[in-house]
Amino acid sequence: MEPYELSFTEASAMIAAKELSPVELTESSLKRIGEVEPDIHAYVTMTEELALTQARRAEKEIAAGNYKGPLHGIPLGVKDLYDTEGILTTSSSEVRAGYVPDADSVSVQKLTAAGMVVVGKTQTHEFAFGATTPTTRNPWDTSTVPGGSSGGSGATIASGGVTVALGSDTGGSIRIPASVCGTVGIKPTYGRAPRVGVASLSWSLDHVGPLTRNVREAALVMAAMSGYDRRDPASVNKPVPDWTPDLGGSVKGTRIGIPKNFYNERVQPEMWEASMAAANVLEGLGAELVEVEIPLADKVLSTAWTIMLAEAGAYHQEALRATPELFTDEVRTLLEVGEGVLATSYINALRTRTLMQQGWRDMYADIDVLLAPTVPGPAASADNPVFEWAADDIEGATTAYSRVCAPGNLTGLPAISMPVGYTADGGLPLGAQVIGRPFREGDVLRVASVYENATDHIGTLAPLKAAS
């Protein structure tokens, strides 16, 4: 087995025991990225020299007895929305083609302080405004999309380039690529992790978090990224617990909500069946399944898009007016639509979101977590990224993917996507999400880890099937 094939948990244990060098692991990671990058294009910028410098530093620190913990010496991919000092940070856009930050984002600061090794900047749908990441391909089948907007992060994990990569989630952009690339991806409670130094898509919907190969890794990295920061107006000053002791524990008595509406509508049968099979596994381990009604389900997509369009239009207003030609046609059109959103429409959407949040709080009086499909189907075709529900009912992949993830952003609740199976015809990954109560990330991590331990879906690397 090559070092890159090890899970982060396995590699970390070997590094701690001085059985594996961070330099050896980083070199293996960089070699693997070089092998697969021509097929998947997961990176905007590689940072080989920096990575090897950080790996050598980690090796010396550990040899001297200064082991910092399980993140020490582990390679990391950083979504190109995150500022990195002295390293090109383009948001996968010509608008920022020459932008080199003079400081790291808070998340990168925290993770490199914990000893992680930055191997490169991963591709995103331009400014995170989309769910397919057109620059990148899915390593499970390179004729399909990797999801988005954190598509580069999902693709590099699934192909073995790294075991951890950073993402952001405004309408599902961590969970979508996690689902279609067969990885784990966690979005924390809104305000749990600071977003300082990360390009915004929609201030009131943006979350930061990691994609990983398994749940324990997600818990460790999410904890390291979390904590109060006064520079982020949304940041909440709450203690960050150690979530790892409860992983792999018991779900006996845990009330798992099963939606009677919304999540089972305009969803491919295989996706719904795989999610319900996961629920049945958890029920067999002692959980209680409780049917619930999703409140204001018919308002989800319109509310999310109104807020996102208006806030994105405001964020990019200056650049859109100065250099509109530098945006892709797709994103420029969305931003122009955002500038046309009426103030009354935006305020009404905010009011509707408040009603949704109240409705979800009431729903959680009867459950501890909700389990549902992460997205309506597997990875869409890169050439024609749509879902066809009927002859006259075709839905673009970005709308379809974000439609099912958007409630987690509108409510700000913690959510994790985990692999729950594969399509019968093409072997593409299928994912389900567990959504919890505010600041109860431990609940979603525990439920996901119990399922992970009971199955063999999590942590599998893609076979890199080439496009025909």
Side-chain angles (χ1 to χ4, degrees), residues 250-251 253-259 263 276 278-279 282-283 287-292 294 360 363-372 413-416 418 433-451:
S250 173
V251 292
T254 300
R255 300 168 301 167
I256 298 178
I258 303 299
Y263 289 101
M276 292 307 98
L282 292 164
E283 184 181 33
E288 177 187 355
L289 304 187
V290 181
E291 286 195 330
V292 294
I294 303 300
W360 277 65
M363 183 179 72
Y364 273 85
D366 299 319
I367 61 173
D368 300 302
V369 298
L370 181 79
L371 190 150
L413 297 176
I416 190 168
M418 59 186 186
Q433 59 183 323
V434 181
I435 307 173
R437 294 170 172 169
F439 298 99
R440 296 295 297 268
E441 287 84 2
D443 290 344
V444 302
L445 287 161
R446 175 175 52 84
V447 171
S449 70
V450 169
Y451 175 78

Side-chain angles (χ1 to χ4, degrees), residues 53 104 117 130 137 181 217 226 289 292 333 456 459:
T53 297
D104 285 334
V117 173
R137 292 293 179 267
C181 289
E217 296 164 3
S226 298
L289 304 187
V292 294
T333 299
D456 59 358

Side-chain angles (χ1 to χ4, degrees), residues 353-365:
R353 177 172 63 182
T354 299
L355 294 175
M356 285 182 186
Q357 292 169 340
Q358 293 170 344
W360 277 65
R361 279 197 296 271
D362 293 341
M363 183 179 72
Y364 273 85

